[in-house]
Amino acid sequence: MKARWTLIALVVLIPLVLAACGEDEPSGVGATAVASMSSPDGIPMGTVTLAQGPNGVLISADVKDLTPGTHGFHIHSVGACTPDFSAAGGHFAPTDHGHGFMHPDGSHAGDLPNIYAGSDGTARADVFTDQVTLAADAETSVFDSDGSAIIIHAKPDSYGAEPGAGDRVACGVIERN
């Protein structure tokens, strides 16, 4: 009878212990967030949604009123867009890597691939990154003490050490859903 209770205890307790230790899934899986994008004049330009998966974050942009062509697309370090888009700070870089995908030591966590706006000014893109998380307590969380924002730039990012993406033409604070 004692062996039976020991077996029952193990069957019940082991999954609880593993869940408490975070062994089932990474923290934040299933979490979602959105950035409502606006122009410098406050005109709505669309949304960028973020969805936490087990291996990173899927970022989906659906924006309008951009100039046709390629635009830099980044997560910035501060969750603020006002009084002007400079309030969003620089690129999100919790691990202090250099700028750009071509940097030999790795890129900022907020460096994302450029997006392309068609002749009608709309851009739709899905980007996956394993450099950020929506989990609250992680070093690379976009929900750190001052939050984060999405910025779209006037020109394409160079992917090199110098960003060169030009003016900030759209901004949205990342907020939990």
Side-chain angles (χ1 to χ4, degrees):
M1 184 73 163
K2 185 176 179 183
R4 181 176 176 197
W5 284 111
T6 302
L7 181 60
I8 290 171
L10 288 175
V11 168
V12 170
L13 290 177
I14 288 175
L16 292 174
V17 170
L18 289 176
C21 293
E23 295 295 324
D24 283 356
E25 291 184 343
S27 180
V29 170
T32 60
V34 66
S36 296
M37 306 301 291
S38 296
S39 72
D41 297 330
I43 298 168
M45 295 179 70
T47 58
V48 175
T49 58
L50 298 89
Q52 179 71 53
N55 300 306
V57 175
L58 179 62
I59 302 171
S60 299
D62 188 359
V63 293
K64 63 180 183 174
D65 297 331
L66 295 170
T67 58
T70 308
H71 296 269
F73 182 58
H74 305 108
I75 300 171
H76 280 245
S77 63
V78 179
C81 292
T82 57
D84 62 25
F85 294 167
S86 66
H91 294 179
F92 183 65
T95 58
D96 295 325
H97 287 252
H99 174 270
F101 292 129
M102 303 308 284
H103 195 284
D105 297 326
S107 60
H108 293 150
D111 287 340
L112 300 172
N114 293 324
I115 61 172
Y116 183 82
S119 60
D120 64 353
T122 62
R124 290 183 182 86
D126 287 333
V127 175
F128 179 82
T129 179
D130 63 359
Q131 301 298 306
V132 302
T133 183
L134 303 183
D137 299 337
E139 176 186 17
T140 59
S141 177
V142 297
F143 296 116
D144 60 8
S145 63
D146 58 1
S148 302
I150 299 286
I151 294 283
I152 299 174
H153 293 270
K155 298 190 250 178
D157 190 290
S158 68
Y159 298 144
E162 295 300 320
D167 293 339
R168 298 170 182 202
V169 297
C171 183
V173 174
I174 300 171
E175 298 177 344
R176 290 187 187 281
N177 275 339

